[in-house]
Amino acid sequence: MNTPFLDTARRVIRCESDALIELADSLDDRFRAAIDLMRACKGRIIVTGIGKSGHIGNKIAATLASTGTPAQFVHPAEASHGDLGMITAADVVLAISNSGEAPELANLIAYSRRYAIPLIGITSRPDSSLGRHSDVVLELPRIAEACGTGVVPTTSTTLTLAMGDAVAVALMENRAFTAEHFRDFHPGGKLGARLSRVGDLMHVGAAMPLVGVDAPMPEALGEISRKGFGVVCVTEDNGALAGIITMGDLARHLDGLMTMSARDVMTPSPVTIGPDELAEKAVGVMNSRKITCLIVIDPEEGKTPIGLLHLHDCLRVGLG
């Protein structure tokens, strides 16, 4: 059942949705020129704006920085009190003002002109102060705000945010920026966990449970007990991986177990994974094989085991 509240919500969302379509259709060579300026930037993209434009600007700067384009938000009021020193001739300024007449931007615009710092303006009025002084204008369609009164920034901030996302993604794709690169800038949180590599989580060196193929089973059991993974990797004399001994293998060889060697008990050719694979892929392999450990093999090192990844390591960082 519709209510006035639902009607309002749908009207707002449809208004902003229609505006986004118009924005997409309005993009022209000025967008390409803005991207070229930012691609050539040797410093950072300095994003600035006041009020709601400032809030959107903060997000745009954060998105640029996390996708491989060095960026920083500079508050225009603080810029007038010393923070202009944060801006260098190697930077590009991305200034946001829907009207293009925000007085707080005046000093920053003048500074960019004085020192020939490229200025890109995001505004709905290319004939405004910001538009006239910009090297490139990213023009927003002049569409009524979704509030109905025309005074609350709604549609205009949505368009600005979308323009910022378009800029960031265009730059990202030009740099062939991948999820692996993103992970380097975003190691925390669920996304960071999903982009963790096997090599980031695996156990190495003395922490690895290892015995030779001719090791007596009492020695292998001791190694399983000491390392605490419930398995032991079995290697040939040259260090190459020969097999793995799991609790299941022990159960299958209970009769005479203590008189056997690791070679007698092991499962040969165990499942392995490379250190550069995503840990999320490792979880999928373990789940599909119904196992709890993977031996990590570096392809460049032949068949020598270099680490051990346990399912618990993945669960600890939020995978699984």
Side-chain angles (χ1 to χ4, degrees):
M1 178 179 179
N2 287 347
T3 69
F5 305 113
L6 285 176
D7 290 340
T8 299
R10 291 184 176 119
R11 186 193 75 238
V12 168
I13 293 171
R14 287 180 181 129
C15 178
E16 296 192 1
S17 175
D18 291 342
L20 288 170
I21 293 172
E22 186 165 337
L23 173 64
D25 292 340
S26 72
L27 295 178
D28 53 27
D29 285 343
R30 290 174 295 178
F31 186 85
R32 182 193 301 273
I35 295 300
D36 287 342
L37 269 180
M38 287 185 271
R39 285 177 56 214
C41 178
K42 302 299 184 183
R44 295 160 301 169
I45 309 302
I46 303 297
V47 186
T48 189
I50 194 74
K52 302 301 185 292
S53 292
H55 295 309
I56 298 298
N58 258 303
K59 192 274 180 186
I60 292 173
T63 300
L64 286 168
S66 69
T67 52
T69 301
Q72 177 182 345
F73 180 81
V74 173
H75 195 288
E78 298 295 339
S80 298
H81 294 276
D83 283 2
L84 283 173
M86 296 180 177
I87 308 171
T88 74
D91 297 331
V92 170
V93 174
L94 179 63
I96 305 167
S97 172
N98 187 47
S99 69
E101 299 294 348
E104 293 85 355
L105 291 177
N107 288 335
L108 202 152
I109 292 173
Y111 184 84
S112 74
R113 303 301 79 190
R114 183 181 309 134
Y115 294 102
I117 299 170
L119 174 64
I120 300 169
I122 297 181
T123 179
S124 65
R125 299 181 181 275
D127 58 345
S128 63
S129 297
L130 174 59
R132 292 195 309 273
H133 292 294
S134 294
D135 295 293
V136 179
V137 174
L138 294 176
E139 186 177 354
L140 304 176
R142 294 192 193 182
I143 297 176
E145 301 288 7
C147 64
T149 63
V151 297
V152 180
T154 46
T155 305
S156 60
T157 50
T158 298
L159 292 176
T160 305
L161 182 61
M163 183 72 84
D165 287 342
V167 166
V169 173
L171 289 168
M172 180 182 76
E173 291 185 354
N174 176 261
R175 288 186 172 88
F177 193 86
T178 67
E180 291 296 301
H181 296 125
F182 190 86
R183 181 257 178 199
D184 292 335
F185 296 129
H186 198 285
K190 183 67 174 178
L191 183 56
R194 288 182 58 195
L195 297 177
S196 296
R197 298 185 184 92
V198 169
D200 299 324
L201 305 178
M202 69 184 186
H203 301 271
V204 299
M208 284 186 64
L210 289 170
V211 295
V213 287
D214 296 320
M217 279 309 298
E219 179 182 333
L221 289 171
E223 187 73 351
I224 292 174
S225 176
R226 282 190 299 273
K227 302 302 171 64
F229 297 110
V231 301
V232 64
C233 304
V234 183
T235 59
E236 302 284 1
D237 293 340
N238 63 2
L241 181 66
I244 189 172
I245 298 175
T246 68
M247 301 306 290
D249 294 318
L250 297 179
R252 285 188 290 273
H253 295 84
L254 280 178
D255 291 341
L257 178 66
M258 302 306 284
T259 64
M260 298 180 183
S261 68
R263 188 194 305 274
D264 299 326
V265 179
M266 72 180 189
T267 296
S269 303
V271 182
T272 62
I273 196 166
D276 293 328
E277 297 286 0
L278 289 180
E280 191 164 47
K281 176 181 178 180
V283 172
V285 172
M286 286 187 274
N287 286 338
S288 65
R289 298 296 188 98
K290 294 181 172 55
I291 56 178
T292 59
C293 286
L294 285 174
I295 302 172
V296 185
I297 300 291
D298 190 337
E300 296 182 0
E301 297 292 333
K303 295 183 178 180
T304 303
I306 61 170
L308 182 82
L309 181 69
H310 196 283
L311 182 59
H312 290 167
D313 302 317
C314 301
L315 294 175
R316 188 172 58 251
V317 298
L319 297 175

